[in-house]
Amino acid sequence: MMKFLRQVWESFRFAWGALKSNITRTILSLLGVTVGIFAIVAVFTIVDSLERSIRESLSFIGDKVIYVQKWPWGFGGEYQWWKYFQWPEPTYSEYKYLYDNLESASAVAVMDFKGGTTLKNGSNSINATIQGVSFEYNLISDIPVQNGRYFIPLETNNARNVAIVGADIAESLFPGQDAIGKPFKLAGHPFTIIGVREKKGESLVDFGGSPDKICIIPFSAFSKLFQSGRRSADIVVKGFPEDEGMREVEAEIVGLMRTKRGIKPRDGNNFSLNRPEAAAAAISGLFAVLTVAGWVIGSFSILVGGFGIANIMFVSVKERTNLIGIQKSLGAKNYSILFQFLFEAVMLSLVGGMVGIFLVYLLSFIQLGSLEILLLPRNILLGLGVSSIIGVLSGIVPAMLAARMDPVIAIRSK
């Protein structure tokens, strides 16, 4: 063990000496590795940050959830909008039918949105999105109420004018005050705030609008204000945790919806069952393409850097030929010489890689809108691992040439 440690120390001294002997040459040679590792680690870091931000934005959709809607979510392939256009909208009566008859669902809810609605309290106002939901919606989607409470069945069943508002709405309508129990006007009608959601802040993607600017009211109250007898809505069904793949609940929804709409056995469905997994799969596919692009861009730079390190090592072998001969004449083994130069190549590559990783770390301090860039440990290990591999590949040939030198010829060289 002591012999191995001494060998590592000597290899480190030689490598450090090579670094200091010609700083300009070393920097230029390692620039390719630095740029390559920076490109790869930066792409992985940004992709991870984007994916985390988007998945957090999608979290409100819920887990093990199926949305019964008119329009399917389009993720690639031909989108036959002309066919979907003729399909009927889901209705409140269909929601009630599913609510009363679904046995493989843990919760069934109905919801609808209305954007661009002004909420007022005296001279204070804010433009918000109104969301009407049935009582069980909080079992499907997380609604973190910081102050106050969620609806009770009496309020949702009897179309009470009560609301759960986002943090921005509460602050705009009642600045510096506790908004719980305070009245405000929605579409000219008086409503009372019973709950204020936790502040989420800006997000890269907010599907349906920022939760901080959403006002949630009972669906029965929503339909009276905005639907004008249309009574259409999105039906949301949550399965049981043990229903792997949601096959059981999906099959039951299809059967009940076809029965409710009187669809003949030979005819296809005229409704869509949308699942968050489809959105997640599409996002993963997009990020996979970005990752491949990062590897391609980084690989060209790393290739150039590898040639630069190989060039340094060939020069280093030539400059130390006489020293190699002396070492061999004193009993140094071939593997010892090989390890010495290979260690030097890996160290040079690691220095370039660590500079690239440090640049990515500096990038994490830059605020790109609402995107928080976070350098994960696995991406650091990836950069160091790639740097080590490049060092081995670049230094193996010069190291083998040094190890196979004849000691007599090497000592006589100048």
Side-chain angles (χ1 to χ4, degrees):
M1 176 60 72
M2 290 300 298
K3 182 179 179 182
F4 174 76
L5 293 176
R6 186 166 56 251
Q7 188 175 355
V8 170
W9 172 247
E10 290 177 356
S11 300
F12 176 80
R13 283 196 305 111
F14 281 123
W16 184 249
L19 274 171
K20 295 195 301 181
S21 62
N22 195 323
I23 296 295
T24 304
R25 182 186 70 185
T26 301
I27 291 174
L28 292 175
S29 299
L30 297 185
L31 192 59
V33 175
T34 298
V35 172
I37 296 300
F38 172 79
I40 293 174
V41 176
V43 167
F44 271 83
T45 299
I46 293 175
V47 165
D48 287 342
S49 301
L50 282 169
E51 189 168 9
R52 186 182 66 258
S53 178
I54 292 177
R55 289 189 185 279
E56 286 177 356
S57 300
L58 282 171
S59 63
F60 81 97
I61 295 178
D63 182 42
K64 286 191 175 292
V65 168
I66 296 177
Y67 284 75
V68 183
Q69 298 171 310
K70 172 180 177 177
W71 298 92
W73 298 347
F75 299 108
E78 183 182 9
Y79 192 80
Q80 299 177 335
W81 62 267
W82 56 90
K83 180 175 72 173
Y84 310 139
F85 181 77
Q86 302 175 41
W87 290 358
E89 295 273 1
T91 63
Y92 185 82
S93 63
E94 289 172 341
Y95 150 70
K96 289 296 293 181
Y97 184 74
L98 292 179
Y99 182 85
D100 294 335
N101 294 280
L102 268 175
E103 297 179 355
S104 54
S106 61
V108 183
V110 63
M111 70 169 189
D112 202 357
F113 286 95
K114 177 69 168 66
T117 303
T118 301
L119 310 183
K120 292 184 177 180
N121 172 43
S123 61
N124 298 324
S125 65
I126 184 173
N127 204 36
T129 298
I130 311 302
Q131 182 181 13
V133 302
S134 59
F135 176 70
E136 289 194 350
Y137 186 72
N138 70 325
L139 302 177
I140 294 171
S141 179
D142 184 32
I143 303 179
V145 178
Q146 185 176 34
N147 296 321
R149 60 175 176 83
Y150 186 68
F151 305 116
I152 59 175
L154 181 67
E155 293 167 336
T156 55
N157 294 337
N158 296 345
R160 295 288 177 84
N161 286 2
V162 291
I164 300 170
V165 300
D168 288 352
I169 296 176
E171 180 60 31
S172 297
L173 297 182
F174 304 97
Q177 303 178 46
D178 182 4
I180 302 300
K182 296 288 198 314
F184 69 97
K185 289 291 184 69
L186 192 167
H189 294 76
F191 274 74
T192 302
I193 296 176
I194 62 170
V196 178
R197 296 180 60 163
E198 293 179 2
K199 187 173 182 63
K200 182 182 178 182
E202 292 186 359
S203 178
L204 182 66
V205 179
D206 282 316
F207 297 89
S210 170
D212 295 335
K213 294 182 179 180
I214 290 181
C215 174
I216 304 175
I217 63 176
F219 182 82
S220 48
F222 179 93
S223 61
K224 285 198 309 182
L225 291 177
F226 302 113
Q227 292 196 332
S228 302
R230 183 168 58 91
R231 305 290 281 177
S232 65
D234 291 337
I235 303 169
V236 195
V237 180
K238 185 177 181 66
F240 287 104
E242 58 270 18
D243 185 4
E244 291 295 331
M246 301 283 286
R247 297 184 185 91
E248 186 178 346
V249 67
E250 185 172 331
E252 191 177 2
I253 292 171
V254 171
L256 290 172
M257 286 294 293
R258 289 180 66 90
T259 301
K260 178 66 175 175
R261 292 189 172 184
I263 301 174
K264 297 178 180 178
R266 291 177 299 176
D267 297 336
N269 297 332
N270 60 358
F271 54 88
S272 300
L273 301 185
N274 295 317
R275 299 174 60 174
E277 293 91 329
I283 291 170
S284 298
L286 172 64
F287 289 146
V289 173
L290 294 176
T291 300
V292 171
W295 273 109
V296 171
I297 295 171
S299 296
F300 284 109
S301 297
I302 287 177
L303 184 63
V304 174
F307 284 124
I309 292 175
N311 177 61
I312 289 179
M313 295 311 301
F314 278 117
V315 171
S316 183
V317 169
K318 186 174 181 181
E319 289 176 346
R320 288 164 26 201
T321 300
N322 185 263
L323 181 59
I324 294 170
I326 295 173
Q327 286 179 309
K328 283 199 161 192
S329 65
L330 294 175
K333 303 295 184 182
N334 285 354
Y335 71 83
S336 178
I337 304 296
L338 177 71
F339 178 81
Q340 176 183 311
F341 282 92
L342 204 56
F343 182 92
E344 182 175 330
V346 172
M347 180 180 169
L348 291 170
S349 185
L350 279 174
V351 169
M354 285 188 288
V355 173
I357 293 171
F358 179 71
L359 293 177
V360 178
Y361 174 72
L362 294 180
L363 185 66
S364 65
F365 289 97
I366 300 175
Q367 189 72 21
L368 299 178
S370 59
L371 178 64
E372 180 186 2
I373 299 177
L374 183 62
L375 179 59
L376 300 177
R378 69 167 180 264
N379 291 331
I380 296 176
L381 294 176
L382 172 68
L384 296 177
V386 172
S387 300
S388 300
I389 292 173
I390 293 301
V392 171
L393 296 178
S394 302
I396 188 66
V397 174
M400 290 177 64
L401 290 176
R404 293 177 179 177
M405 282 185 180
D406 185 283
V408 177
I409 298 176
I411 289 176
R412 291 177 176 176
S413 65
K414 295 184 180 179

